[in-house]
Amino acid sequence: MICTRCDEFKIILAVEEYIVRSTPKKGDFLEELFDKLSINQEVESICRNCGNKISKSEFYFDDDDELMKRLYHFIGEQLTSKIKGCECCSQPAEVLSSIRRYFDEEDDVGDMIDDLDTSIEVGEFIYDQFGLDSIDEIVKSMYCPVCSFGSGPNYDEKIDYGFFDECSGIYTKESLDEFDERFYGKIEEIEKEVSLLANELTMEELVDLKDEYIQNKLYVSQNKAFSRLEEVIKSLYEKGGYYRLASRRTIFRTRTMDFGYQISELPSDDKLWEPPYGVSGHGRYNDIGVSVLYCANNLDVLREEVPLDHGKEYVYAKFILSKTLKMFPINFVFKRGKDKQSDFDGLISQPSNSDSKSFRIEYIMSNIVAAICSRIGYNGIAYKSTKCPKSINYAFLRFEKNIDLNMVEVFK
């Protein structure tokens, strides 16, 4: 048995963070996982694995082996798709080997060779992409698409390609580009990762848009950069470029209440839903007074997200999705642009330097994006937590309370 509080469930959270950040359309993998493998808890019970409570109507996984098998296979498949060579076949390995032939055996060229080699160990690659320590089942599910090393025995070809271990060296597109720059010198034709926005907007245009919003947000929609930003987001939506937050998911929310706050007998507490219009302070995805429901994909991150004032205590709410919702994958869209100066992600992930609920300049760009997303039809925004980068938070902009999203438990 695996519930949302089990340590094993953190692998699902790691997969979700990867999908939201790197490949939102793969959200259908998690949707299918919950649809086919999760079980509806008919009465309140205790998880046999971790001892935490499973609320009535909450879902859990009973077939641990099948769940882990699918997760490991998905992770291995995603990692394999990024491999462009390995230590057994790659051009850099051949170049490094050829360099050694130009020196006598007694010459010490180790430092030069090490500086040129940009290979990545498999264990490091898994952690870099998913934030997970090396897991043997994941390592064994990875292979090199170029030479097939790591794919194990091929009985038709009567060849055993062996398996990777966590110290095996591999090359990705990024590491090969880095190798070319180190060995051949900087090559202008090397194609860098380009944000979806990079072909439409420059960093300067987005900063100007942000400045204009500060001066007169009523007329910001007349800004040419605003129109082009809206077109990018709208086009993505029409092409299915959203993260599908799966039905049956359990998510969490917290608020700080006066110490000794009495929890109602009812499973739902209006104070744990989004604040009413006109009450909320300035948030990352809401203007002052605008009502947005903020939740997280795991309980542990909430204490980092919400500071606790003296005389207050945390009260938590557990929600379950009744339908799949379309979320804007903002960290995927606002990736780095054509150069190091075009750090679009910084515009929407900038930490706030103020504890005030009044106007915060750091939230302007994400406020603009939220307004566009709500107008186009997104149910909300899925974004990486700025306090805990391996966690995913959700800002729900358009949803029906107790229909799309149900509160099933309030607890301390």
Side-chain angles (χ1 to χ4, degrees), residues 6-108:
C6 292
D7 286 341
E8 294 86 346
F9 192 80
K10 291 178 181 177
I11 296 181
I12 293 180
L13 301 183
V15 168
E16 181 175 38
E17 189 277 332
Y18 171 85
I19 290 173
V20 170
R21 166 176 48 86
S22 300
T23 175
K25 289 189 176 181
K26 294 289 183 178
D28 56 0
F29 165 74
L30 285 181
E31 185 178 18
E32 182 180 353
L33 201 69
F34 278 86
D35 183 50
K36 293 187 175 181
L37 296 184
S38 65
I39 298 173
N40 185 5
Q41 181 62 40
E42 296 181 357
V43 296
E44 185 178 295
S45 66
I46 299 298
C47 177
R48 299 191 304 270
N49 187 26
C50 69
N52 283 292
K53 182 167 67 175
I54 302 177
S55 303
K56 180 182 177 181
S57 300
E58 189 175 1
F59 289 79
Y60 65 92
F61 296 94
D62 198 41
D63 191 342
D64 302 11
D65 292 339
E66 180 63 20
L67 174 66
M68 289 300 140
K69 177 183 176 182
R70 294 196 185 198
L71 287 170
Y72 293 150
H73 177 76
F74 176 84
I75 294 172
E77 187 179 61
Q78 296 306 304
L79 294 172
T80 293
S81 71
K82 294 178 179 292
I83 296 175
K84 302 300 181 184
C86 72
E87 59 189 15
C88 298
C89 71
S90 64
Q91 176 188 357
E94 295 172 4
V95 173
L96 294 175
S97 177
S98 67
I99 290 174
R100 293 183 185 276
R101 292 199 294 267
Y102 289 101
F103 296 87
D104 296 328
E105 290 185 6
E106 61 271 14
D107 290 333
D108 184 9

Side-chain angles (χ1 to χ4, degrees), residues 271-339:
K271 291 184 178 180
L272 269 297
W273 284 96
E274 73 279 14
Y277 280 92
V279 173
S280 62
H282 196 191
R284 191 168 293 278
Y285 295 101
N286 69 277
D287 202 345
I288 296 172
V290 175
S291 183
V292 168
L293 181 68
Y294 290 94
C295 296
N297 68 355
N298 74 92
L299 190 64
D300 299 330
V301 72
L302 292 176
R303 289 175 181 258
E304 298 183 47
E305 290 283 353
V306 180
L308 185 66
D309 295 331
H310 179 71
K312 299 283 189 177
E313 64 178 332
Y314 290 108
V315 179
Y316 302 96
K318 182 188 291 184
F319 296 86
I320 296 176
L321 275 76
S322 299
K323 62 180 290 187
T324 298
L325 299 180
K326 299 174 181 178
M327 309 295 284
F328 179 66
I330 194 166
N331 297 101
F332 172 72
V333 177
F334 279 75
K335 289 190 285 191
R336 186 179 295 280
K338 296 179 179 178
D339 52 55

Side-chain angles (χ1 to χ4, degrees), residues 158-183:
K158 298 181 179 179
I159 297 175
D160 187 351
Y161 290 104
F163 293 102
F164 284 135
D165 60 45
E166 63 179 291
C167 295
S168 299
I170 58 172
Y171 294 90
T172 64
K173 180 181 182 303
E174 290 76 15
S175 68
L176 287 174
D177 287 348
E178 185 182 352
F179 174 85
D180 287 342
E181 288 192 16
R182 289 185 187 183
F183 186 73

Side-chain angles (χ1 to χ4, degrees), residues 295-297 301-302 305 327 381-386 391-395:
C295 296
N297 68 355
V301 72
L302 292 176
E305 290 283 353
M327 309 295 284
I381 296 173
Y383 62 102
K384 288 179 61 174
S385 165
T386 59
S391 292
I392 294 297
N393 293 341
Y394 317 105

